[in-house]
Amino acid sequence: MLVLVDLDDTLCNTWEAGKRTMLHAIPFLLRRGKLRALLYLLTAKYRGLEGSKKLHTLDLHELVEELFRRIYPKITEEELAELSSFVEEHFFRYLRLYDDALPFLRGLRKLGARVVLVTDSSTNWQRKKLEVLGIGAYFDDVIISGETGHSKFEDYNFRLALKRFPDREVYVVGDRDETDMAGARALGAVGILVKRGYFSGRKVRNANYIVRNLYEALEVIKREHQKRAEA
């Protein structure tokens, strides 16, 4: 059994941590007279960047630079460094595993599953999250878009995981239909969509199962595994 698992908003509260960081950024930006940046955040104009493949391979500092250079083309390196430090400090202050993450990962181990993390963003950013959250040891491999050069809008990283751990029984667990569940469909795997976090309100087109949390996702995997054993 091979289980491919997403990180952000599947195992940990990335969107919530980011939202709380943005709230703390309001007085920070006001004190520095960055009213255009404040308006950009408050009107959620950043949502227009969701489909950008480039943004899915950037680390935190590159992401801050990308966003703020769009708003302030002449922003200085010193200002960018200050903004990056502020965002990083507050983001990791609020980053947490969901309560069901460890029971889920331990449950997969009990089933004898190979578990591979397939995640977007840069290697430094994602590996720091794993270190802070303390869950790196639960994965047989970690595949990050910033290392492969391919985001999860493609099926490359999903196929890479299957190439490294060939198996006929494959599950993909994630929170985003157009990446995680589309990847599952491309592999002929069972796609289990966890409806929470930033993308929870989106339409679902690719998932085999929709669940509310990782406890339910684990139960789906157990049932599917049992059915295959009995077949």
Side-chain angles (χ1 to χ4, degrees):
M1 184 197 307
L2 175 64
V3 183
L4 311 183
V5 183
D6 172 56
L7 177 62
D8 298 309
D9 284 0
T10 299
L11 296 175
C12 63
N13 67 334
T14 300
W15 168 239
E16 181 189 352
K19 186 165 63 173
R20 295 182 71 176
T21 299
M22 284 192 285
L23 289 174
H24 278 277
I26 292 173
F28 179 86
L29 292 170
L30 281 173
R31 287 196 297 271
R32 285 153 182 79
K34 301 295 185 185
L35 300 182
R36 271 184 288 160
L38 184 59
L39 183 63
Y40 187 90
L41 293 177
L42 292 176
T43 57
K45 288 186 177 180
Y46 52 83
R47 294 191 177 186
L49 304 174
E50 290 170 7
S52 169
K53 294 181 180 181
K54 176 185 176 183
L55 290 183
H56 286 74
T57 61
L58 300 181
D59 66 18
L60 172 66
H61 302 289
E62 293 168 330
L63 181 59
V64 169
E65 181 175 355
E66 177 76 17
L67 289 174
F68 277 88
R69 285 202 186 279
R70 286 170 180 257
I71 307 168
Y72 302 105
K74 295 182 180 181
I75 193 169
T76 67
E77 293 297 325
E78 291 76 13
E79 287 178 305
L80 285 172
E82 183 185 28
L83 287 164
S84 292
S85 296
F86 176 89
V87 172
E88 182 168 359
E89 176 189 350
H90 286 79
F91 177 83
F92 282 106
R93 182 183 300 175
Y94 298 120
L95 186 68
R96 299 285 186 274
L97 282 175
Y98 287 122
D99 291 342
D100 52 10
L102 289 180
F104 173 72
L105 294 171
R106 290 166 181 159
L108 293 179
R109 283 297 185 207
K110 288 181 181 178
L111 289 173
R114 293 279 195 173
V115 184
V116 177
L117 186 74
V118 181
T119 180
D120 278 337
S121 196
S122 76
T123 181
N124 292 336
W125 184 224
Q126 297 306 79
R127 290 189 184 279
K128 181 168 183 179
K129 289 178 189 174
L130 292 178
E131 180 182 351
V132 169
L133 296 169
I135 56 173
Y138 286 96
F139 302 107
D140 295 283
D141 202 355
V142 175
I143 297 176
I144 303 173
S145 62
E147 296 176 354
T148 66
H150 298 270
S151 79
K152 291 197 293 184
F153 282 105
E154 310 168 58
D155 59 20
Y156 180 91
N157 292 340
F158 298 97
R159 294 191 181 280
L160 179 61
L162 186 57
K163 182 178 179 180
R164 291 178 180 177
F165 301 95
D167 205 302
R168 293 183 179 180
E169 183 181 355
V170 184
Y171 304 89
V172 178
V173 181
D175 69 297
R176 191 169 183 182
D177 186 71
E178 64 266 43
T179 56
D180 303 308
M181 298 301 102
R185 184 174 290 275
L187 293 185
V190 176
I192 305 171
L193 181 72
V194 185
K195 289 276 281 185
R196 64 182 175 196
Y198 185 77
F199 298 101
S200 60
R202 301 293 178 84
K203 291 183 179 179
V204 179
R205 297 181 175 87
N206 298 294
N208 297 103
Y209 293 94
I210 301 172
V211 298
R212 294 170 296 179
N213 53 57
L214 291 173
Y215 295 117
E216 292 182 1
L218 184 61
E219 289 305 311
V220 169
I221 293 172
K222 287 179 178 178
R223 289 198 305 270
E224 285 284 334
H225 184 61
Q226 185 63 33
K227 278 193 276 186
R228 291 170 188 251
E230 293 171 352

